[in-house]
């Protein structure tokens, strides 16, 4: 019987996988690679004072090697095996000269292979040893030749942060992956073991900070009960080098403290916040600080009292003191919609440059509007040289098809990070503007929920992964990240990795093509942002309506943001303004963001604006079909469960890409009155049909 079972397990199809393990799967490797590995790592030796972080590192190494070697990896006091070495310990004598010398942000590490093959991971701090361990495991999971292991790596940005928009009741604003993983009600008594896996995943990609609650925050999160809950989370995340932040409601002194005001210049208010910060630090000694959305979309803030954003931020920063930072969001728009929407954050913040305390970071969304499939970068990155600016990206796909569309976001992140013409002399890239100091920050709005696969779809895990990797090192390429993710998530099989990367790399452009081609933006359904609704024109504020953004009429389409229009272009430094003002490739993707064009104007592609628009919608639909066909070709190479789940979502995306294309063309054609270019099919339904669709149950709010 035992023999029969053994035989069966040899021929059984690959184990059903549900995606829970993310990219930390540690599956058996090829026999020859395993032999090599067994030779370099017969044992694990640690020369570092004991700590929870060292335990996390050794635990992770032993977990993986136990699978690879098919036996436990013994911890040895000496010997020739794998070595974790803190550079202030005797082990450092064996290291190359350079080790531990270069000044760097915490977390830097080296992996060296000494003569005789011994692998040493060294770092100046425990978290560096943990990151080095994960880097080694990443290489091995990809079956990278052992000769390629040596590397030295260090983060470029100090605070690499996930912002969870999780609510007290367990719902997640703009969340498409189930309920909050934090399970507020059961904390602090019960901490879901899943949170340790969450911490492992974050540490494996260098994420070291987490804001655990929505920026639309009730003051509840600052009550003693919730401080105790947050402290339990912090205890769980701490071994993995992750600091916890809270989103703070600016009116908390009134809401909780019984004060008559939350005026940041009021001494009682200042005292209240100092006492609140002390109370939090007593419970969470390494508390990261506060994240604040103030005077934005109905949230309270210093302007309620005639004070500035700097007054508000500095007051909180002084309450926190040297112990942490205040991250103050620049996502604001004026209560008076007379000023063009994309210019408002700049107008509100640029004049405050130089007025923020040293422990304030002003967190700016990548674009001047709101996480659209494609935006130019925010002009603030070129306009506040005396302020520590942080970058906010959105990992959850609020405007990019939720978790039902496959869109790999690394190219979007990379496009923003690599944009030049910024900084004080107009010569820095966005990545350079945000990198460097002890409060440098890149934050991403998390796409994580209680779904078994964490992100709602297997491919959305790649967006969490890529965010972490790029926040650590913005010089990594999207393609390289896609490949290392695919090898770890599916299998280190080069043709499979090629095929998966070939699906991922064009996927964001494909989505731009079928949703918001040529620089269009904000055409999604009201509130939930699901599906196309370019016709909406009846919302209370003009700048909430899609028609405000595309401005299409019988004559043409697009928003004139040049000097003849709103002149938002003037908020950019000259080289970048010049780039965005161009109307040819490579600036064509922003054409209708900055320019108003007549339907028959001819573009550098040789087509008219109308024909180009239709061509791009169809290119988007074809791109999704190509992605689905490629995935279909991987049947049998990817475990059946994950293959089937991805295939099902791709079928949804195929249908919804057509819907986007058809509804958009039906609407714009009702204005342009132009025939479709030859070879392009008419929409499946009438414009009225598309306009009549309603989705009151759409998720995310
Ligand atoms: O993108 C918009 C979202 C809101 C969000 C807001 C913000 C948290 O639609 O849900 O609120 O941005 O970033 O503050």
């Amino acid at each position: 019987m035992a023999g029969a079972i053994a035989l069966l397990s040899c021929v059984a199809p690959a184990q059903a996988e549900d995606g829970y393990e993310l990219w930390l799967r540690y599956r058996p490797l090829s026999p020859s690679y395993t032999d090599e590995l067994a030779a370099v790592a017969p044992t694990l030796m640690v020369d570092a004072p004991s700590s929870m972080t060292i335990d996390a590192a050794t635990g992770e190494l032993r977990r993986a090697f136990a699978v690879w070697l098919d036996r436990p990896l013994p911890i040895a006091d000496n010997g020739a095996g794998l070595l974790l070495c803190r550079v202030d310990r005797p082990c450092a004598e064996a290291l190359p000269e350079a080790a531990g010398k270069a000044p760097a942000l915490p977390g830097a590490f080296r992996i060296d292979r000494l003569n005789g093959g011994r692998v040493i991971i060294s770092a100046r701090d425990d978290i560096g040893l943990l990151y080095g361990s994960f880097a080694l495991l990443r290489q091995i999971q990809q079956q990278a030749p052992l000769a390629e292991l040596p590397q030295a790596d260090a983060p470029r940005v100090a605070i690499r942060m996930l912002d969870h928009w999780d609510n007290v009741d367990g719902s997640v604003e703009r969340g498409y992956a189930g309920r909050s993983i934090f399970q507020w009600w059961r904390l602090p008594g019960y901490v879901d073991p899943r949170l340790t896996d969450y911490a492992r995943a974050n540490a494996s990609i260098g994420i070291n900070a987490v804001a655990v609650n929505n920026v639309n925050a009730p003051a509840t999160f600052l009550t003693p009960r919730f401080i105790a809950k947050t402290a339990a989370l912090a205890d769980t995340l701490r071994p993995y080098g992750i600091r916890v932040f809270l989103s703070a409601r600016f009116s908390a002194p009134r809401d909780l403290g019984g004060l008559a005001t939350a005026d940041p210049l009021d001494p009682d208010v200042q005292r209240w916040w100092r006492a609140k910060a002390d109370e939090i630090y007593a419970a969470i000694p390494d508390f990261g600080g506060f994240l604040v959305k103030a005077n934005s979309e109905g949230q309270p803030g210093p302007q309620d009292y005639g004070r500035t954003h700097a007054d508000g931020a500095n007051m909180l920063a002084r309450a926190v003191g040297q112990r942490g930072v205040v991250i103050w969001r620049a996502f604001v728009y004026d209560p008076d919609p007379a000023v063009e929407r994309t210019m408002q954050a700049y107008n509100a913040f640029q004049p405050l440059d130089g007025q923020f305390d040293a422990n304030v970071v002003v967190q700016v969304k990548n674009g001047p509007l709101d996480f659209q499939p494609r935006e130019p970068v925010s002009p603030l990155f070129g306009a506040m040289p005396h302020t520590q600016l942080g970058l906010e990206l959105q990992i959850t796909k609020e405007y990019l098809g939720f978790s039902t569309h496959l869109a790999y976001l690394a190219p979007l992140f990379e496009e923003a990070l690599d944009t030049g013409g910024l900084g004080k002399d107009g010569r820095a890239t966005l990545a350079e503007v945000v990198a460097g100091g002890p409060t440098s920050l890149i934050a991403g709005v998390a796409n994580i929920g209680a779904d078994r696969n964490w992100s709602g779809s297997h491919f959305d895990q790649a967006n969490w992964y890529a965010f972490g990797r790029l926040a650590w090192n913005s010089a990594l390429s999207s393609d390289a990240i896609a490949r290392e993710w695919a090898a770890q998530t599916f299998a280190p099989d080069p043709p499979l990795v090629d095929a998966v990367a070939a699906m991922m790399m064009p996927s964001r452009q494909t989505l731009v093509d079928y949703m918001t081609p040529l620089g269009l933006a904000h055409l999604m359904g009201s509130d939930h942002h699901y599906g196309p609704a370019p016709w909406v024109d009846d919302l209370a504020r003009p700048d909430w309506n899609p028609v405000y953004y595309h401005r299409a009429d019988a004559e043409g389409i697009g928003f004139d943001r040049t000097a003849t229009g709103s002149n938002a272009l003037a908020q950019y430094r000259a080289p970048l303004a010049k780039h965005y003002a161009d109307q040819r490739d490579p600036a064509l993707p922003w054409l209708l963001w900055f320019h108003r064009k007549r339907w028959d104007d001819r573009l550098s592609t040789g087509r008219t604006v109308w024909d180009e628009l239709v061509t791009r919608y169809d290119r988007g639909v074809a791109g999704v079909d190509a992605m689905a066909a490629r995935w279909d070709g991987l049947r049998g190479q990817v475990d059946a469960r994950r293959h089937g789940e991805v295939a099902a979502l791709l079928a949804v995306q195929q249908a919804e890409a057509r819907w986007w294309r058809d509804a958009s063309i039906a609407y714009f054609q009702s204005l342009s009155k132009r025939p479709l270019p030859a070879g392009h099919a008419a929409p499946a339904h009438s414009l009225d049909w598309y306009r009549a669709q309603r989705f009151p149950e759409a998720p995310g709010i």
Side-chain angles (χ1 to χ4, degrees):
M1 190 58 194
I5 289 171
L7 189 68
L8 265 182
S9 65
C10 288
V11 295
Q15 174 193 349
E17 298 207 40
D18 58 17
Y20 180 83
E21 294 165 291
L22 296 161
W23 47 87
L24 302 174
R25 290 164 55 257
Y26 309 137
R27 290 294 183 273
L29 303 166
S30 75
S32 61
Y33 194 85
T34 303
D35 289 346
E36 270 189 83
L37 213 52
V40 298
T43 57
L44 171 62
M45 181 181 156
V46 181
D47 194 358
S50 78
S51 75
M52 290 184 306
T53 300
I54 297 295
D55 288 349
T58 57
E60 197 71 26
L61 291 167
R62 298 185 83 204
R63 173 199 289 254
F65 276 89
V67 176
W68 292 330
L69 305 180
D70 202 19
R71 59 170 169 75
L73 176 66
I75 303 256
D77 288 340
N78 48 40
L82 182 61
L83 170 63
L84 282 186
C85 171
R86 256 233 338 228
V87 300
D88 54 353
R89 309 284 286 198
C91 56
E93 279 167 28
L95 293 173
E97 269 293 283
K101 296 285 186 297
L105 293 169
F109 64 86
R110 296 175 58 91
I111 301 175
D112 289 292
R113 254 197 112 184
L114 302 186
N115 297 337
R118 175 169 217 190
V119 173
I120 301 188
I121 301 170
S122 63
R124 289 188 304 177
D125 42 32
D126 293 355
I127 188 63
L129 292 177
L130 180 62
Y131 291 154
S133 300
F134 276 117
L136 177 73
L137 296 174
R138 174 160 60 236
Q139 293 291 96
I140 296 174
Q141 282 208 88
Q142 296 175 70
Q143 287 200 166
L146 295 182
E148 289 176 13
L149 291 185
Q151 53 182 283
D153 206 356
R156 318 288 201 270
V157 166
I159 308 173
R160 305 172 297 275
M161 179 158 173
L162 287 181
D163 290 353
H164 286 260
W165 287 355
D166 293 18
N167 298 316
V168 177
D169 66 0
S171 63
V172 179
E173 180 153 344
R174 311 304 178 183
Y176 313 101
R179 311 271 301 165
S180 172
I181 55 169
F182 296 128
Q183 301 204 24
W184 296 107
W185 183 249
R186 299 213 273 176
L187 289 167
Y190 179 79
V191 182
D192 189 339
R194 178 173 192 149
L195 290 172
T196 300
D197 291 327
Y198 164 77
R200 290 172 52 231
N202 279 335
S204 77
I205 50 177
I207 288 170
N208 66 352
V210 166
V212 293
N213 63 319
N214 191 353
V215 289
N216 292 327
T220 319
F221 280 94
L222 300 172
T223 59
R225 282 177 53 234
F226 271 79
I227 292 171
K229 292 171 190 284
T230 307
L233 293 177
D235 290 344
T236 307
L237 304 181
R238 185 171 299 115
Y240 293 87
I242 299 167
R243 292 175 78 178
V244 162
F245 288 68
L246 281 171
S247 295
R249 185 171 175 85
F250 198 78
S251 58
R254 297 176 58 175
D255 306 339
L256 299 180
L259 301 187
T261 178
D263 181 348
L265 300 194
D266 182 286
D268 287 338
V269 169
Q270 295 169 356
R271 260 192 296 278
W272 188 89
W273 278 109
R274 222 170 299 130
K276 185 51 71 180
D278 291 347
E279 181 188 345
I280 297 173
Y281 277 101
I284 311 170
D286 57 352
F287 179 62
F290 296 121
L291 169 64
V292 188
K293 172 175 179 176
N295 292 123
S296 165
E297 303 190 276
Q299 295 300 316
Q303 293 176 340
D304 303 347
Y305 307 96
R307 313 300 184 195
T308 69
H309 283 289
D311 293 330
N314 292 343
M315 182 273 294
L316 285 178
R318 287 165 202 169
V320 167
Q322 296 299 309
R323 301 171 291 191
V325 299
V326 167
I327 301 172
W328 193 269
R329 297 177 85 230
F331 177 70
V332 299
Y333 47 96
D334 211 281
D336 170 13
V339 180
E340 201 256 285
R341 168 75 171 77
T342 67
M343 300 172 73
Q344 294 179 12
Y346 179 102
N347 292 345
F349 276 84
Q350 193 281 330
L352 302 176
D353 187 31
Q355 294 182 28
F356 292 95
D357 282 7
N359 61 336
V360 173
V361 187
V362 174
Q363 178 168 293
V364 183
K365 289 188 182 182
N366 59 290
L369 182 53
D370 193 6
F371 297 140
Q372 296 301 297
R374 174 170 276 126
E375 290 188 42
V377 297
S378 166
L380 281 171
F381 292 108
M384 297 188 70
H386 307 292
T387 305
Q388 179 71 52
L389 295 180
L391 169 65
E392 179 175 327
L393 299 165
Q394 195 178 45
I395 310 169
T396 188
K397 304 207 311 299
E398 173 181 357
Y399 294 100
L400 288 98
F402 300 177
S403 54
T404 30
H405 292 208
L406 195 165
Y408 174 51
L409 298 183
L412 187 164
F413 301 159
E414 204 184 358
E415 184 175 285
L417 288 161
D418 290 352
T419 300
L422 298 166
K424 63 170 173 290
D425 52 6
R427 269 186 266 154
T429 62
L430 195 158
E432 287 163 351
V433 170
V434 299
T439 57
S440 50
L441 164 76
I442 296 186
V445 180
N447 66 346
I448 297 160
D451 275 8
R452 184 69 190 157
N453 68 19
W454 301 87
S455 298
S457 81
H458 298 291
F459 274 89
D460 276 338
Q461 297 177 353
N463 293 329
W464 175 8
Y465 183 89
F467 167 78
R469 297 287 286 140
L470 284 169
W472 173 279
N473 179 4
S474 61
L476 293 173
S477 78
S478 301
D479 186 60
I481 296 171
R483 285 167 184 282
E484 60 179 49
W485 175 79
Q488 296 171 92
T489 300
F490 296 114
D493 163 25
L496 174 63
V497 168
D498 285 346
V500 171
M503 287 172 64
M504 293 165 75
M505 284 304 294
S507 60
R508 179 272 191 142
Q509 179 60 47
T510 290
L511 179 137
V512 167
D513 284 340
Y514 66 76
M515 282 191 185
T516 56
L518 282 179
L520 293 175
H522 212 295
L523 307 177
M524 295 78 188
S526 306
D527 299 332
H528 49 56
H529 301 154
Y530 174 66
W535 45 79
V536 170
D537 61 0
D538 58 355
L539 302 179
R541 272 178 73 120
D543 55 1
W544 285 344
N545 289 295
V547 298
Y548 175 92
Y549 293 95
H550 62 66
R551 310 214 155 188
D553 59 18
E555 203 182 72
I557 183 169
F559 199 135
D560 183 1
R561 292 187 168 107
T562 69
T564 51
S566 77
N567 209 15
L569 257 183
Q571 293 184 337
Y572 293 93
R573 292 186 172 276
L576 189 51
K578 187 157 173 267
H579 171 70
Y580 285 145
D582 202 344
Q583 303 194 21
R584 300 158 301 176
D585 261 335
L588 204 51
W590 289 278
L591 181 76
L592 301 177
W593 184 286
F594 287 111
H595 303 283
R596 176 165 175 78
K597 305 297 290 177
R598 281 190 297 268
W599 292 113
D600 295 326
D601 284 345
R602 208 157 283 281
L603 299 176
S604 57
T605 58
R607 284 184 279 268
T608 65
V609 168
W610 169 247
D611 287 1
E612 186 66 36
L613 211 53
V614 175
T615 304
R616 287 186 183 227
Y617 281 120
D618 272 318
R619 193 173 77 181
V621 169
V624 181
D625 289 347
M627 207 155 50
R630 218 184 265 275
W631 186 250
D632 198 49
L634 297 177
R635 193 187 303 273
Q637 294 178 60
V638 171
D639 47 284
R641 174 167 173 177
R642 288 190 299 172
H643 189 276
E645 288 172 354
V646 170
L649 290 178
L650 284 167
V652 172
Q653 188 176 6
Q654 286 180 286
E656 293 192 353
R658 284 178 168 74
W659 169 37
W660 263 96
R661 178 256 182 219
D662 285 354
S664 306
I665 289 178
Y667 170 69
F668 289 128
Q669 193 173 30
S670 75
L671 300 166
S672 79
K673 312 268 194 249
R674 301 293 189 278
L676 291 174
H680 295 267
H685 300 280
S686 70
L687 175 57
D688 287 343
W689 187 90
Y690 294 110
R691 293 182 66 137
Q693 303 305 306
R694 293 287 178 276
F695 307 95
E697 77 290 6
I701 300 188

